[in-house]
Amino acid sequence: MTPSLNGARNPVQSLGVRYGENLRITVAANQGGRKYMEDRVHIETIREENGSIKFTFCGIFDGHGGHEASEYVRRNLLDNIMKSELFDSDDDDDILEAIRLGFLTTHHGIWKIFQGKMEHLYLLTFQELIKLKSNFASAIVHLFSSPPPPISPTTAITILSPSRPEWPRTASGYPSTAGTTVSIAIIRNGKLYTGHVGDSAIILLKRSYLKDNSEDLVPHRLTIDHKPESEDEQARIRIAGGSYVISFLDFPPLWYFTVADFGDSPQMLPIVIKKPPYVALKSGVARVVWTRPLKHHTGPVRRSTPTESIPFLAVARSLGDVWSYCEDTKEFIVSPEPDLAVREITGELYHC
């Protein structure tokens, strides 16, 4: 915003324009050493039918694991927010709830991509199925033979095959691990509504008057980083994933150590835990752990499926990291739940 700095009447106010409607917006991005750009930005002004400004939307999406998640969020988040009837309300709580629902709807939209849709229909006999040389066919044959179902070799069997996600797999052959931080600001009716997951930031400049009556702009950060080492995130992860452990990765998996005081001779005692940790240290950085099937596993993932646990992601909340879904709690360890806030902005105090 660009209100008058010298105390004179602001021409924007004289035209009946609210603060937040006379904006100058600048975007800068740095791809760094990567071969492709993972980050996205979305800036859009929505107008009423009479041409007046309804609100301005600004969003930054810091992608990881590829550009697919940040691009999906750029294309869908604002639409998902606006689809909620609550967003048309004049009540701040309703608007914030619409933003929250937009975040969750967008995240679950990504999840549906990986769940796939039952698109390809196959109709064949049990006898034909046995002749197929594939792990999928063998699994179906096993399913039908134990216990033996009431079918004959010529019984027709309908098979629905889920479509494969369009997002590319990782170099190791696992489904895409693309995700993104999200920090959005909606300027509407002289107020700033924010939604945030991850470790990007929203900063508001507040006007400060010095002793010599000169003015300065002091940055005020409106968001906090959602990092795995945060106590608040650790508490949430315990609920979402069942346990929280900082591991010593030099030791074998599932073995962790605690210090026991035996007089003058402290000792490291091994503790065996049944569950892998959900947060672990790697090179001194706390990361959310990805527990995944071993690389060459085929077929459905069961409780008996051999797995490995690797320290993976250095943020505790994001959109798109569906690999972190915990079957036990039906929650995402890397949470899509946003921090929400609203703040009234005036030219006397703030300079966006």
Side-chain angles (χ1 to χ4, degrees), residues 6-27:
N6 57 14
R9 180 176 174 81
N10 193 319
V12 172
Q13 287 179 309
S14 65
L15 294 174
V17 179
R18 290 182 292 263
Y19 284 104
E21 295 184 352
N22 183 33
L23 298 175
R24 293 183 178 92
I25 299 175
T26 302
V27 175

Side-chain angles (χ1 to χ4, degrees), residues 248 251 255-262 266-271:
F248 296 86
F251 297 101
W255 284 85
Y256 302 92
F257 292 78
T258 185
V259 175
D261 189 1
F262 292 94
Q267 298 184 23
M268 299 292 285
L269 299 181
I271 302 174

Side-chain angles (χ1 to χ4, degrees), residues 329-350:
T329 61
K330 310 301 181 186
E331 297 282 350
F332 292 96
I333 309 302
V334 181
S335 174
E337 192 74 39
D339 286 344
L340 304 167
V342 58
R343 181 186 297 262
E344 188 169 354
I345 48 178
T346 67
E348 296 178 357
L349 292 177
Y350 298 111

